[in-house]
Amino acid sequence: MRRYLPVARQHFLAALAGTSVVVKSLSAAVLLLYLLSFGLDTAYGLGVTPGYLLPPNFWVWTLLTQGLVEERAWGLAASLATLGAAGRLLEPLWGALELLVFFAVVNVSVGLLGALAYFLTYVASFHLAYLFAVRIHGGLGFLGGVLVALKQTMGDSTVLKVPQVRMKAVPMLLLLLLALLRLAALVESNVLASYGFGLLSSWVYLRFYQRHSRGRGDMSDHFAFATFFPEILQPVVGLVANLVHGILVKVKVCRKTVKRYDVGAPSSITISLPGTDPQDAERRRQLALKALNERLKRVEDQSAWPSMEDDEEEAGAKADSPLLPDPGTAGKGAGQESSLITFQDAPSQL
């Protein structure tokens, strides 16, 4: 295990080399708080404790710091890898400031939703442990957010070839894995809660609120909530999601999807959905080009290797063809044919 640490350290430093000061600062903060956790209870002072977040305590600063607190080595590795992946894959598309906003939105949402969930659990069970013994912290919430963002930008890319797993299926597969580990009592409940609320909050932000050149959000079909589930469940999930969205629109939490018609366009009527990202069109264009190149390659491979049946038919045709005619005979035939043509072409006499 130790011999792989220098290699991992080298790859991590190479990944951070091309990132901005935002990613480097967040990574340094995670590493520093991990080192401090050996002597201090950082999860108590900087993680979200549901009972202390509620009045009269109001430890609201923990909403911003809980995503930086790690107490285990595997959590530290996951957080640093997530920040490195976000810096390499998302920061070039969004910019450093938008990545920082996304990090803050996801972590604050994870803290609020997690505290609310544990408070409701306390109301149902009256166990004070759900209010004061639970610590919500770590980078799993942001990991869920990054996976959702990667599903949005590169969902059709292949992560594993055997078995074939695409990027769009990774968020729910990891959620299923964490749920199974929780049922086996191998992970704590706050791990599953952080990741699950990270998925939900990041999708809501990217779907409805993220600002970009085309407006807000991403209302494309490939990023609908039902696409996170298997195809057999998508109709049911889509129906429930539409009902929830309709309720949220009525209470003015989400915006209603509105189509805009540009009647003054020079060529024809242009229909656009607010929030549609040009990256979606670019992604579809790349997929079409890839499919076309593969089809052309197959056609070239087939034309480069003629079949044996064609060779046999060509040889048989040459064998069955008659011999060349005698030159003298050919000349006579040509002369007769020419005289006949001359006779037919002569003018008729009356």
Side-chain angles (χ1 to χ4, degrees):
M1 182 66 181
R2 292 182 178 179
R3 63 180 180 178
Y4 294 108
L5 291 179
V7 179
R9 177 176 175 273
Q10 182 179 1
H11 285 288
F12 174 70
L13 293 178
L16 287 181
T19 59
S20 67
V21 66
V22 172
V23 176
K24 294 177 182 177
S25 300
L26 293 176
S27 301
V30 171
L31 183 59
L32 177 61
L33 291 178
Y34 173 74
L35 296 177
L36 291 177
S37 66
F38 289 100
L40 301 174
D41 190 0
T42 54
Y44 174 78
L46 300 177
V48 173
T49 304
Y52 294 142
L53 186 63
L54 299 173
N57 298 292
F58 287 114
W59 288 13
V60 292
W61 68 85
T62 58
L63 295 175
L64 296 174
T65 58
Q66 61 90 14
L68 302 173
V69 178
E70 294 290 352
E71 293 183 324
R72 295 181 176 86
W74 67 267
L76 174 67
S79 294
L80 294 179
T82 302
L83 290 171
R88 293 295 297 272
L89 300 176
L90 298 180
E91 190 177 27
L93 301 176
W94 295 351
L97 180 60
E98 176 59 29
L99 182 61
L100 181 61
V101 171
F102 181 70
F103 179 82
V105 167
V106 171
N107 284 300
V108 170
S109 301
V110 167
L112 286 175
L113 294 175
L116 178 61
Y118 280 109
F119 175 74
L120 294 178
T121 306
Y122 161 74
V123 171
S125 62
F126 292 100
H127 289 295
L128 287 176
Y130 291 113
L131 291 182
F132 298 102
V134 174
R135 304 285 186 268
I136 302 174
H137 64 87
L140 281 180
F142 186 61
L143 172 61
V146 170
L147 291 179
V148 171
L150 293 179
K151 177 189 182 302
Q152 179 193 27
T153 56
M154 47 184 296
D156 292 320
S157 60
T158 302
V159 179
L160 293 177
K161 293 184 178 180
V162 181
Q164 188 176 17
V165 178
R166 296 187 182 274
M167 188 66 226
K168 60 184 179 182
V170 173
M172 295 305 293
L173 288 178
L174 185 55
L175 180 63
L176 178 61
L177 176 61
L178 291 177
L180 294 177
L181 293 177
R182 175 56 189 162
L183 291 176
L186 297 178
V187 296
E188 299 176 355
S189 61
N190 62 337
V191 173
L192 180 60
S194 297
Y195 180 78
F197 289 130
L199 289 180
L200 179 61
S201 60
S202 60
W203 177 80
V204 171
Y205 173 74
L206 295 175
R207 181 74 168 176
F208 300 105
Y209 298 106
Q210 187 187 38
R211 291 182 177 272
H212 44 75
S213 59
R214 295 290 298 273
R216 281 189 177 185
D218 181 4
M219 303 303 296
S220 56
D221 294 336
H222 82 279
F223 196 53
F225 185 74
T227 59
F228 285 84
F229 296 85
E231 293 183 359
I232 192 173
L233 299 177
Q234 288 183 8
V236 178
V237 176
L239 179 61
V240 176
N242 291 334
L243 292 176
V244 174
H245 179 257
I247 296 174
L248 295 178
V249 168
K250 290 183 178 180
V251 298
K252 298 182 179 181
V253 175
C254 296
R255 290 185 176 184
K256 185 178 181 180
T257 303
V258 180
K259 293 183 179 180
R260 297 181 299 181
Y261 299 88
D262 187 7
V263 184
S267 58
S268 60
I269 296 177
T270 302
I271 302 175
S272 61
L273 290 175
T276 303
D277 199 335
Q279 296 171 2
D280 184 33
E282 179 66 19
R283 181 182 65 87
R284 297 178 185 275
R285 189 179 70 85
Q286 293 294 338
L287 290 176
L289 288 176
K290 182 179 179 181
L292 180 60
N293 291 332
E294 292 178 354
R295 185 174 300 177
L296 291 176
K297 185 177 180 181
R298 288 197 299 267
V299 172
E300 291 177 356
D301 293 340
Q302 293 176 0
S303 61
W305 296 94
S307 61
M308 297 298 295
E309 296 179 357
D310 296 338
D311 295 340
E312 293 177 357
E313 292 178 358
E314 184 178 356
K318 291 182 179 179
D320 296 338
S321 62
L323 297 176
L324 294 176
D326 185 69
T329 307
K332 293 180 180 179
Q336 293 176 358
E337 184 178 359
S338 61
S339 62
L340 180 61
I341 294 173
T342 304
F343 177 76
Q344 290 179 351
D345 291 340
S348 59
Q349 297 179 359
L350 297 176

